[in-house]
Amino acid sequence: MAELGLSYKKDENFGEWYRQVLLRADMIGYTDISGCYIIRHWAMKIWENMKAFFEAETDEMEIESCTYPLFVTRDSLEREKSHIEGFAPEVAWVTEAGKSELKVPVAIRPTSEAIMYPDFSKRIRSHLDLPYKQNQWVNVVRWESNPTPFIRSKEFLWQEGHTAFATKEEADHEVQEMLELYRKIYEEYLAVPVVKGQKTELEKFAGALYTTSVEAFIPNAGRGIQGATSHCLGQNFAKMFDVKFENEMQEKAMVWQNSWAYTTRTIGVMVMVHGDDRGLVMPPKVATLQAIVIPVIYRDVDTEAILEACRKTVVTLKKAGFRVKADLSRTSTPGQKYWHWEMKGVPLRIEIGQRDLDKNQVRFVRRDNSEKVDIPLNNNLVERVKDTLDRIQQNMFDVARERRDACIQVARTWEEFMEALNQKKMILAPWCDEMDVEEDVKKRTKGEGEMGAAKSLCTPFEQPELPEGTLCFASGKPARKWTYWGRTY
């Protein structure tokens, strides 16, 4: 058991604090390749808990599971020019096998459209084959030049869905359906507030008709972060890869396609939003462990009786479906154990000592707010644990939403925009919806400080009222919509 706390404060050196939390909580390991990280058990279980929720939902939607190859040929990857241009700087190529140079280099997938759609064109023949829905859980390689664990890494895990429909209406419906699933993952599981919206033409997925996303914000960093995306690809890829079907009138038609994905970035966002100066703080719904039972053993106590009470508590809670264990190690003091499991972010600590045995109770200590409550065992322990975990989950979301909302600033002029940007805000501004104006915003903010240029995050689906005569904050032209802006990861 480690003996070191955090040497960096979240409010003082956010980047180093984040990296230290990941290491001290035993979530990642470093390798000799920059940007390639070991995802350890403590983080991997969070991913698996999210996966369990997501797969249950996609099973209900009759989306099939699959796994496609890791490699893609240059011809396939370059078939859709705008698509590959969006990924070209990050594509990793295999050029040798052993000591032999490959005659035809292959790329390691940065995304799977060019791998999956040649197969779609073989599988889809008739309207009876539609809708065609595939989802895979795989790794992806994008050669990031400035990696950050979970947020931007050279290799990451993701869920990647690809679907085909006979009509645009069906495709449009699924785009929103999947985006709502991503909102649930963030808000209801990770307890992270997000904004649902549509990406601008400049920021949409390369080759897509349009892109929707859920956008989070990291208050300590003053940066937005794209949480997950749901794209309507239109018929662009269908034309490139000849994905067509025979409709009910025996006419040939191109399918309408979607793709949607979320990644292990979710874990990094969770750590950034909820962690504190004592370490990781995990929301109960995704926590690797939801509760840790700790015997409080000092001199002159009935040690075996305390240990047995801990064991029985674990058995009772496990039978009820909770992820729980007891720390019965004899090499650490109770205080050291408290510190250790606080660092690892376990939502609920259950203490059992001699005083608790004498009073037929246990003590609950919440990780999110340090609240301590003695719980009589003549009450229903299972119900009290469930209720406490539910309240922790809700409180974590409420606190995160309050902090996020405090960072949202409305800006109606360029001067207001720049003031808010320099204060690390998430900015909601009226915009004329012109690409050259958006590009100009990037250029004009690129030299402001060390944090990089500002860009659009998304245009929220829930639009505030836009009074007639409202002008764009950047161009002075008539505004057409409200859009979120900020610096990003």
Side-chain angles (χ1 to χ4, degrees):
M1 185 178 293
E3 296 294 335
L4 295 176
L6 298 178
S7 54
Y8 295 98
K9 301 292 186 182
K10 187 176 184 180
D11 289 337
E12 295 174 3
N13 191 332
F14 182 74
E16 291 301 325
W17 168 88
Y18 173 69
R19 291 175 179 84
Q20 197 170 62
V21 168
L22 295 181
L23 287 171
R24 297 285 165 82
D26 202 26
M27 301 188 80
I28 67 162
Y30 285 88
T31 70
D32 57 357
I33 301 175
S34 174
C36 292
Y37 309 100
I38 302 162
I39 302 178
R40 300 204 186 279
H41 169 77
W42 204 247
M44 196 64 196
K45 289 301 294 184
I46 295 172
W47 181 245
E48 290 175 356
N49 291 335
M50 287 187 284
K51 181 180 179 180
F53 157 74
F54 195 83
E55 283 198 320
E57 296 288 330
T58 54
D59 285 348
E60 285 294 315
M61 298 162 69
E62 298 185 349
I63 296 170
E64 298 176 345
S65 297
C66 64
T67 301
Y68 279 75
L70 177 65
F71 302 110
V72 56
T73 65
R74 185 183 297 273
D75 286 346
S76 288
L77 195 60
E78 293 181 348
R79 195 174 296 184
E80 211 296 327
K81 294 298 183 183
S82 66
H83 178 62
I84 184 55
E85 285 172 2
F87 289 102
E90 300 171 353
V91 175
W93 293 92
V94 178
T95 59
E96 295 179 3
K99 296 182 178 180
S100 301
E101 186 173 320
L102 296 182
K103 292 181 180 178
V104 180
V106 293
I108 303 173
R109 64 171 163 237
T111 181
S112 298
E113 285 77 8
I115 301 172
M116 298 176 74
Y117 295 165
D119 182 58
F120 275 39
S121 70
K122 299 172 187 176
R123 300 279 292 177
I124 299 170
R125 288 285 183 263
S126 161
H127 65 92
L128 299 177
D129 298 322
L130 298 174
Y132 189 67
K133 305 178 182 181
Q134 302 289 302
N135 181 61
Q136 62 176 0
W137 298 83
V138 294
N139 59 338
V140 169
V141 172
R142 296 180 186 172
W143 214 254
E144 293 282 353
S145 59
N146 188 25
T148 299
F150 291 121
I151 302 302
R152 284 194 176 277
S153 54
K154 285 185 171 68
E155 180 183 7
F156 56 88
L157 303 180
W158 75 354
Q159 155 281 314
E160 181 183 13
H162 294 267
T163 53
F165 300 90
T167 67
K168 183 176 184 295
E169 289 73 22
E170 292 174 284
D172 287 339
H173 175 77
E174 192 206 49
V175 166
Q176 295 299 325
E177 194 173 24
M178 300 315 299
L179 195 68
E180 175 60 13
L181 280 190
Y182 295 142
R183 183 204 64 80
K184 287 183 178 180
I185 286 173
Y186 272 93
E187 296 197 338
E188 298 179 16
Y189 281 77
L190 296 170
V192 172
V194 292
V195 175
K196 292 167 64 175
Q198 185 163 322
K199 289 290 191 180
T200 65
E201 285 296 301
L202 191 63
E203 294 294 333
K204 73 178 183 180
F205 181 67
L209 180 62
Y210 65 87
T211 291
T212 67
S213 66
V214 291
E215 301 286 333
F217 190 77
I218 311 300
N220 289 80
R223 293 184 185 274
I225 187 164
Q226 181 177 282
T229 50
S230 181
H231 315 285
C232 179
L233 303 179
Q235 295 180 309
N236 190 24
F237 287 90
K239 293 173 183 175
M240 295 296 171
F241 292 94
D242 197 31
V243 187
K244 56 191 176 185
F245 68 103
E246 189 175 82
N247 63 25
E248 294 175 348
M249 294 177 288
Q250 298 184 324
E251 298 169 337
K252 291 292 184 181
M254 292 291 173
V255 299
W256 292 84
Q257 289 178 265
N258 292 338
S259 69
W260 27 268
Y262 78 98
T263 78
T264 38
R265 172 180 283 189
T266 49
I267 300 171
V269 173
M270 180 204 77
V271 175
M272 287 181 166
V273 169
H274 298 304
D276 61 22
D277 289 340
R278 290 182 292 152
L280 182 65
V281 185
M282 293 189 294
K285 282 190 176 182
V286 297
T288 306
L289 273 184
Q290 294 172 308
I292 183 71
V293 180
I294 296 181
V296 183
I297 297 174
Y298 296 104
R299 293 181 180 179
D300 302 323
V301 299
D302 189 341
T303 298
E304 286 307 313
I306 293 172
L307 294 176
E308 182 60 23
C310 290
R311 294 187 191 102
K312 286 182 177 180
T313 299
V314 169
V315 169
T316 298
L317 295 179
K318 278 190 172 181
K319 283 183 178 179
F322 296 106
R323 297 185 293 276
V324 58
K325 67 176 285 186
D327 186 345
L328 305 182
S329 63
R330 302 294 185 96
T331 56
S332 302
T333 67
Q336 289 171 327
K337 294 177 182 181
Y338 299 163
W339 171 87
H340 176 74
W341 295 107
E342 283 180 354
M343 177 68 71
K344 294 178 76 69
V346 177
L348 180 63
R349 184 169 80 233
I350 301 175
E351 302 172 5
I352 302 177
Q354 189 65 53
R355 181 180 64 90
D356 301 300
L357 284 184
D358 295 342
K359 294 185 176 181
N360 194 33
Q361 67 180 27
V362 297
R363 170 164 285 189
F364 284 5
V365 183
R366 288 171 51 165
R367 177 62 180 90
D368 62 321
N369 63 9
S370 301
E371 179 183 274
K372 299 179 180 180
V373 180
D374 292 329
I375 306 296
L377 287 181
N378 54 13
N379 288 355
N380 190 328
L381 179 64
V382 168
E383 287 301 315
R384 292 299 295 268
V385 169
K386 180 182 182 303
D387 177 67
T388 300
L389 292 177
D390 287 346
R391 287 189 287 115
I392 291 171
Q393 183 81 29
Q394 186 61 50
N395 182 62
M396 288 181 67
F397 177 74
D398 291 343
V399 169
R401 182 172 56 185
E402 183 178 343
R403 290 193 69 211
R404 191 279 310 270
D405 289 351
C407 292
I408 296 175
Q409 183 75 46
V410 174
R412 292 180 172 81
T413 66
W414 182 255
E415 289 73 22
E416 292 177 352
F417 177 84
M418 287 306 304
E419 181 180 359
L421 187 66
N422 291 330
Q423 293 174 354
K424 299 184 178 182
K425 300 294 186 180
M426 180 179 183
I427 305 163
L428 183 61
W431 180 44
C432 61
D433 195 20
E434 294 184 11
M435 188 181 296
D436 61 338
V437 174
E438 183 175 4
E439 290 175 334
D440 189 55
V441 170
K442 283 188 175 183
K443 292 176 183 176
R444 293 168 71 184
T445 56
K446 191 172 184 180
E448 295 290 333
E450 299 178 356
M451 294 185 64
K455 66 178 184 177
S456 65
L457 306 179
C458 73
T459 296
F461 292 128
E462 293 186 5
Q463 284 279 302
E465 182 182 357
L466 187 67
E468 186 176 351
T470 301
L471 301 180
C472 171
F473 79 99
S475 68
K477 299 177 182 179
R480 298 179 59 188
K481 59 180 66 173
W482 290 92
T483 297
Y484 280 106
W485 302 78
R487 293 191 170 97
T488 64
Y489 279 96

